[in-house]
Amino acid sequence: MIDVPHTPVPFDPEIEPALAEIVQPDAPPFTPETIPGMRAAMASMFPPAAEVVGDAPVDVVERTFPGPAGELEVTILSPRGLDGPVPGLYNIHGGGMMVGHRNMDTGRLLALVLEHNVVAVNVDYRLAPEHPHPAPVEDCYAGLVWLADNAAELGVDPERIVVMGGSAGGGLSAAVALMARDRGGPKLVGQLLLCPMIDDTNTTVSSHQYPDTGTWTRETNLAGWRSLLGDAAGGPDVSPYAAPARATDLSGLPPAFIEVGSAEPFRDEDTEYALRIWATGGQAELHVWSGAFHGFDMYVPDWHVSRTALATRDSWLRRVLGTR
């Protein structure tokens, strides 16, 4: 069999120079030895939510709730002077299952709270490899149940909750939606999946096209799945709650918004997920942004495609939340 090279889709020339600043040539690889240092470095990059919110008309509350193995932390962003229940956004941060902190998503959530008059609940969860599957997803599901059970206190309409996240957070959001369906859990009106990490097999064309270029590479992705699943990664016995692409039944799920760049490893698995939802008669809105690398909206927010992507998300949220 001829080994056909996997020529990558090019990055948009307008944003390609940003990669030189974002991706440092001497950045260490993701290994059990380097992960603690990476976590500390990332934590120092993202200030507490109250500092990010500043004088915006948004209240910030830090809370804990009982997780499967101890207390877990959430940050709650609420419109100031909240009058009556409003929709809720339940956010799960990214980081390849290995790194990341809820504070990294504060800016994204603050914009959504101000734009849509919603309450955002931003959860932290245990990270791999110290806490492999099912710890991360069970933590995230417990947070969703806590949100639904305490909706009245939080000012959230329990009939209008969207689960959302980017990258690993998008994969965990998809998994939480599967869990809520299968366990008869909280009702979700939508799942906002931003370049979700959902396929541990790494067998698609796009998963081979970026071995060492871009903001998220094949090698880093393999490290993330190995951290979460160990030797089971890519094998026959992986739970759909770990890798939602493994789900054999995608019917009965809340409407999905799936967004991904054309120039990143997750392009094909995310596109396939939308196709499979449609095949069941389900609702999915898919956007593949041309020339965009992984996490483009956060790394190059002023790029015209990023602005269009953000407006497109807002349109979808208005429709599923009934706030249009």
Side-chain angles (χ1 to χ4, degrees):
M1 182 176 179
I2 299 175
D3 184 17
V4 179
H6 294 91
T7 304
V9 175
F11 304 114
D12 187 309
E14 187 176 340
I15 58 170
E16 192 166 13
L19 287 173
E21 299 179 18
I22 298 166
V23 182
Q24 299 300 315
D26 57 350
F30 281 83
T31 68
E33 293 73 30
T34 63
I35 285 173
M38 292 182 177
R39 289 176 184 163
M42 290 185 69
S44 68
M45 294 170 58
F46 300 100
E51 292 184 24
V52 176
V53 170
D55 59 1
V58 172
D59 294 325
V60 180
V61 176
E62 306 287 355
R63 293 277 297 269
T64 61
F65 67 91
E71 294 291 299
L72 294 168
E73 298 179 333
V74 292
T75 301
I76 303 161
L77 306 179
S78 306
R80 189 159 298 157
L82 190 61
D83 182 18
V86 298
L89 302 180
Y90 179 67
N91 183 76
I92 305 172
H93 72 78
M97 308 289 181
M98 304 172 287
V99 299
H101 187 275
R102 67 188 187 279
N103 287 346
M104 65 193 291
D105 286 352
T106 302
R108 169 187 283 165
L109 296 175
L110 174 61
L112 292 172
V113 170
L114 292 171
E115 176 68 24
H116 297 281
N117 194 45
V118 297
V119 171
V121 176
N122 194 13
V123 68
D124 255 337
Y125 53 91
R126 290 172 292 166
L127 297 170
E130 301 93 325
H131 304 286
H133 177 76
V137 72
E138 290 290 357
D139 288 354
C140 294
Y141 183 73
L144 175 65
V145 172
W146 176 83
L147 164 59
D149 288 347
N150 294 274
E153 176 195 349
L154 300 174
V156 171
D157 179 353
E159 299 296 315
R160 290 191 292 168
I161 296 174
V162 168
V163 63
M164 64 171 286
S167 196
L172 287 164
S173 295
V176 164
L178 288 166
M179 279 185 162
R181 179 198 66 182
D182 296 344
R183 297 180 179 181
K187 180 181 179 183
L188 296 169
V189 296
Q191 48 181 328
L192 181 61
L193 311 179
L194 307 176
C195 52
M197 176 182 176
I198 57 174
D199 185 2
D200 66 296
T201 66
N202 289 279
T203 54
T204 66
V205 170
S206 64
S207 75
H208 286 275
Q209 285 178 309
Y210 302 91
D212 53 10
T213 57
T215 55
W216 192 254
T217 67
R218 176 178 178 81
E219 288 306 311
T220 305
N221 200 48
L222 289 170
W225 285 114
R226 283 194 300 266
S227 294
L228 185 70
L229 298 171
D231 292 340
D237 299 317
V238 172
S239 167
Y241 303 144
R246 297 289 195 128
T248 57
D249 179 10
L250 295 182
S251 65
L253 291 171
F257 180 99
I258 302 172
E259 171 184 292
V260 69
S262 70
E264 68 155 289
F266 296 157
R267 181 195 67 227
D268 295 350
E269 64 198 64
D270 294 350
T271 299
E272 178 67 18
Y273 203 67
L275 290 169
R276 292 181 57 212
I277 291 173
W278 289 326
T280 71
Q283 297 182 51
E285 184 167 320
L286 172 67
H287 296 275
V288 182
W289 298 107
S290 182
F293 50 66
H294 187 73
F296 67 95
D297 64 302
M298 299 184 77
Y299 289 119
V300 284
D302 293 329
W303 183 36
H304 67 97
V305 173
S306 299
R307 295 195 299 268
T308 301
L310 293 172
T312 304
R313 291 180 206 167
D314 285 338
S315 169
W316 180 83
L317 278 170
R318 290 190 189 96
R319 283 177 274 136
V320 299
L321 295 176
T323 59
R324 54 187 170 185

